[in-house]
Amino acid sequence: MDSKTTIPAAPQPPASAAAPPVPATAPDLGTLRAEIDRLDAAMHALLIERSQIIDRLVAVKRARGTESGSAFRPAREASMMRQIVDRHRGILPLDTVEGIWRVIISTFTYVQAPYAVHADLASGEAAMRDASRFHFGFTVPFIGHMGAAGVVAAVARSRGDLGLVPAFASPSAGAWWTALEGEHAPKIIARLPFVERADHPAGLPVFCIAHPVTDGAVSEVETWSLHVSGWNAQAARALAPLADVIAVPDRGLDGAALLASIPVGGAVDRDTVLAALRECGASVRAAALVGSHASRYTHAPKA
Ligand SMILES: C=C(O[C@@H]1C=C(C(=O)O)C=C[C@H]1O)C(=O)O
């Protein structure tokens, strides 16, 4: 695995290591444990209440006829994860809070409409398995594949399954995204983690693919499949500051297949990228939109 994808598994230490002095009037342990029992019961009751709301939400979604197989709503999930991370405080590590809510949300998505997660293990099974379990929990079935092509094919065959593919150049993967080009082919619908940070415990960058989203898609970043002739080192350097690009050789010695992630509404759009390629003597033979996802969101720890 290359250095970009190495996940530092640094556990977050509790904020205060030294125990505070015990005041003379401190309640006894039994009283504090009774408080914890009260809170656990309240949290459990809230989860049960949440499941009742989900029942009602399913009925509304069905009545609106917007169900397409998967209950996963990328825009909603990205915005919920940002809010959770932004409002967090206290000694419970952020990793734990994020992980708890990933399990809650992905499992409630599963109980609305069962799905499996297909993951490409070719660039390293451990990191991909960690990513899948962190973002989707253990109730959602996990199915490994040796290669991105198998993941795309499994998602295409399914009713509402999700696929996880590395969001970085992987020599063995080839131009897997070209299989997303057809109108009805699966598309990139999210990039995980929703909230990025240097020491994320499951920080492998992955694209999440699914059947085209008919409700709740998010188009802050578009992902384009570009077939380029005359690909060269100068073109690669020119694109680096403009867009996140994965490039692999394609058809002939000077051809390349690119997956370019281009933020929408920013200074750079798809035409800027195509013009930069032309200036370097490369030409784009074909361009297809193969998905979109929420803007990358980075969390900086509070000072
Ligand atoms: C509840 C919904 O369905 C899914 C489950 C969610 C949840 O449990 O909060 C959030 C987004 C969806 O992926 C929804 O569409 O709002």
Side-chain angles (χ1 to χ4, degrees):
M1 195 185 301
D2 69 33
S3 59
K4 262 184 172 164
T5 63
T6 304
I7 308 306
Q12 296 175 9
S16 58
V22 181
T25 56
D28 63 16
L29 277 182
T31 308
L32 293 173
R33 286 178 180 145
E35 283 290 284
I36 288 173
D37 285 345
R38 179 181 64 78
L39 291 172
D40 282 351
M43 286 192 285
H44 196 170
L46 285 174
L47 281 175
I48 293 166
E49 193 180 337
R50 195 183 201 278
S51 62
Q52 289 156 353
I53 304 278
I54 292 283
D55 267 345
R56 289 164 56 196
L57 179 134
V58 170
V60 172
K61 281 184 177 176
R62 282 208 186 113
R64 285 172 51 200
T66 49
E67 283 319 86
S68 58
S70 170
F72 185 87
R73 297 292 182 273
R76 172 84 178 133
E77 294 212 7
S79 113
M80 289 171 85
M81 293 319 299
R82 290 172 188 185
Q83 286 175 40
I84 287 162
V85 168
D86 286 348
R87 72 177 174 230
H88 183 59
R89 61 195 162 80
I91 63 167
L92 190 62
L94 176 61
D95 297 342
T96 310
V97 174
E98 186 188 8
I100 289 170
W101 259 276
R102 283 309 311 149
V103 170
I104 290 174
I105 293 172
S106 59
T107 311
F108 274 117
T109 306
Y110 178 77
V111 298
Q112 288 181 56
Y115 63 96
V117 171
H118 300 268
D120 172 13
L121 307 180
S123 321
E125 170 160 1
M128 185 54 95
R129 195 176 269 276
D130 277 358
S132 179
R133 293 311 196 190
F134 183 89
H135 297 298
F136 298 97
F138 281 86
T139 304
V140 177
F142 170 88
I143 301 168
H145 297 259
M146 266 308 150
V151 172
V152 177
V155 170
R157 275 195 308 271
S158 75
R159 198 174 123 68
D161 290 356
L162 301 179
L164 298 183
V165 178
F168 50 86
S170 142
S172 59
W176 57 267
W177 53 88
T178 58
L180 311 182
E181 286 175 359
E183 190 190 346
H184 301 292
K187 296 285 172 284
I188 292 170
I189 62 159
R191 182 188 161 109
L192 303 174
F194 284 119
V195 179
E196 301 179 25
R197 54 189 179 275
D199 58 352
H200 196 296
L204 187 78
V206 293
F207 286 124
C208 179
I209 64 167
H211 284 301
V213 176
T214 50
D215 181 41
V218 56
S219 302
E220 290 167 357
V221 176
E222 287 181 342
T223 51
W224 286 88
S225 172
L226 305 176
H227 295 268
V228 177
S229 307
W231 178 245
N232 57 63
Q234 195 196 347
R237 277 196 299 276
L239 288 199
L242 299 179
D244 273 342
V245 172
I246 302 177
V248 300
D250 182 29
R251 292 187 216 139
L253 286 178
D254 70 346
L258 270 51
L259 178 63
S261 302
I262 306 175
V264 174
V268 173
D269 63 10
R270 193 197 58 155
D271 290 340
T272 323
V273 169
L274 300 195
L277 284 169
R278 273 196 302 274
E279 262 178 45
C280 300
S283 60
V284 174
R285 288 185 277 120
L289 186 62
V290 292
S292 63
H293 60 76
S295 303
R296 291 176 62 180
Y297 185 76
T298 303
H299 172 77
K302 290 179 191 110

